[in-house]
Every structure is written in structure tokens, then in C-alpha cells.
Amino acid sequence: MFQFVIDAAKKIKNMEIRGAARIAKFAAEILKNVAETAPSESFDSYMKKAASIILNTRPTAVSLYNAVNYVLNYRGETVEERRISAISKAKEFISWVENAQKIIGEIGEKRIKDNSIVMTHCNSSAAISIIKRAYEVGKKIEVIATESRPRLQGHITAKQLREIGIDVTLIVDSAVRFFMKEVDCVVVGADTITANGTLINKIGTSQIALAAKEARVPFIVAAETYKFSPKTLFGELVVIEERSAEEVVPEELLKIGVKVRNPAFDVTPRDYIDLIVTEVGAIPPEMAYVIIRERLGYSSIEGEIVDAKDLD
Ligand code: RI2
């Protein structure tokens, strides 16, 4: 029974399935599958164990936690009622993901000027939704996409934008400040936004924000409301995932004792963020608390989540 959950969790861990929204949607799909097939006598324990396995994959993007928590808040007197409730919660979450990205595109597009150059980092479906929409409504835009070492998600972004006809220039991450003077606005995604409006996103994001602020270039974050972290409201710090050294250097360097650090994300203070485009509106980062209270609620905290650390 759990083999398919373990296999799915591995896909998240090795980044075959990646991107904060995609992993959250995938988690909801796995839990839906578990809800549909779990034996009645152990329905609740199957759901909890599957949740633990899924949560024990990538620690930083709160979207994964919010997805699991949303589905695990199923209710019902009988097992069959709980099964139906869990399946419908999973479906609700999946459509939340799909609809939110579309609306973010429609809202965020209005902040992109005609004849402008937009810089983006990594591969964010929410950020791309804004860029694509601006292009679709007829604005003439060019995109500067960063390579996003070490996993080179910038290549995916460049390909996705080129496929629909947008002019894209790919640059190495360290060239961000060199090109910033040509840029009209920066649009990036989010893995997590904390209660005080801090952004956690792909490593390198904070340097781009710094360069943008220096050059007075607007820095826009595209984030569905399930990227906001209820846990941070209660003092929890966001864990920054550190991935393996092999992603960064060839083995021969490791063999001679070169040490490598490979944090996957960094932290951008809210003072560097002009706007967060969510599916419920374009807000200043200071409004993060309101989003958490109104969209995610305290029940997210109370939901029963098992500690997944030991389940590898
Ligand atoms: P969407 C990605 O993380 C990037 O940091 C990206 O900005 C963020 O998720 C949000 O992506 P990774 O999974 O949810 O590549 O907007 O490490 O697609």
C-alpha cells in the first residue's frame, strides 16, 4: 500500500516533481489516491502515515505542508464519510492550485508595463503565469532569466517562455547586477512567505532583490495564498533545505576534501518586496498576517500532523 506513496515521495525529494505549487498539488493527488484505496479498518492511520511520508521530503516550501494539512482536516462520523470528505478536500486543494495561478496571472499582468524587460529567477509557475498573461494581452516584453544554479531551472523557464514566442535571454546568476540597469521589473515566485512578510525562495533571490532595490527596480513576488506559512505565526522558523554537494561539483573535488554547501533557498526581507501578487489580490508584504488568518486560519495549526522526521 505505501510503496506508491514512498515512490511518489522520492520523486519530490529528487526533484523529479518540483516547484512549490507542483509539489503541493502532487501531494494532494497522492493523498486522494490513499483516501480512495485505504482499507476501512485503518483509514485514519493510513492517511496519517502517508502524510508523514510526503512531509518528509522537502522541508522549505510550506505549500507542501498546507496541502497535506488541508486534506488531513477531513471530517466525518463514519469511515466512509471521512473517506468522501478526504477525497473532496484533495480535489478542492487541486483546484485551488489551478485557479490561483490563473488569477495571479490576470492580476499581476497589470503591473507589467508595455515595452518592458522583466527579470525572473528559477522556474516559478506563478511568476510565469504573470509574464505569459502580459504577453497574451499584447504587451511587448522581453525576459531575462537566470540560469539558477545548481539545478538550472532557468533553462525550463527559458524554454517555456520561448515556446509561446516570448524573447528570452538567459544569464548566469552572477550577472544579475550587471543587467539590472536594463530591467523594468523583477518577478519571482515563492516557496514560503512568513507571517511578517519575509520571502523564502530559490537561492539567489535575495541578491536579486538587493540589486533591484539599489537600482530602484520594482520587485514583485507571485505567490498563491497556500505559500503563506501559518506555522511562522506561532514562532516556527523556516527550515532552509541543504541539498547534496554532488549537485554543485564533480566528485573528484569532493574526494580531495573540498567542502561544499548547497542551500536551496534564501531569505529576502520584506523591505525589498514591493508587492506580493496572490489570487486574492496584490498586497504589500505587511499583509501576510491577514492572509494567514483569513485564508489558512488557525485550524491549520491545530490539524494533526505527525512528525515525519524518522520515516525515510
Ligand atoms: P511555483 C521552486 O523551488 C523555486 O524556488 C520557485 O521560485 C518556487 O519553487 C515556486 O514555484 P524548487 O522546487 O510554485 O525548484 O511558483 O526548489 O511553481
Side-chain angles (χ1 to χ4, degrees), residues 225-274:
T225 51
Y226 54 80
K227 309 264 179 77
F228 289 69
S229 171
K231 297 192 281 184
T232 59
L233 198 54
F234 292 84
E236 235 181 82
L237 294 172
V238 178
V239 176
I240 302 289
E241 176 184 7
E242 285 220 23
R243 297 186 62 86
S244 74
E246 285 80 6
E247 287 188 345
V248 181
V249 292
E251 222 183 306
E252 61 196 79
L253 279 184
L254 300 173
K255 275 193 187 141
I256 59 164
V258 175
K259 288 182 200 147
V260 172
R261 297 283 305 273
N262 182 20
F265 304 98
D266 67 15
V267 177
T268 302
R270 70 172 183 209
D271 298 349
Y272 293 81
I273 301 168
D274 290 282

Side-chain angles (χ1 to χ4, degrees), residues 32 51 58 118 123 208 223-224 233 241 262 265 274 290 312:
K32 177 172 163 287
R58 299 193 70 196
V118 181
N123 177 250
I208 301 176
E224 307 86 318
L233 198 54
E241 176 184 7
N262 182 20
F265 304 98
D274 290 282
V290 178
D312 223 341

Side-chain angles (χ1 to χ4, degrees), residues 31-52:
L31 288 177
K32 177 172 163 287
N33 212 326
V34 175
E36 282 163 350
T37 52
S40 299
E41 61 281 10
S42 38
F43 180 79
D44 297 321
S45 63
Y46 266 58
M47 289 299 288
K48 275 186 200 167
K49 183 152 187 204
S52 296

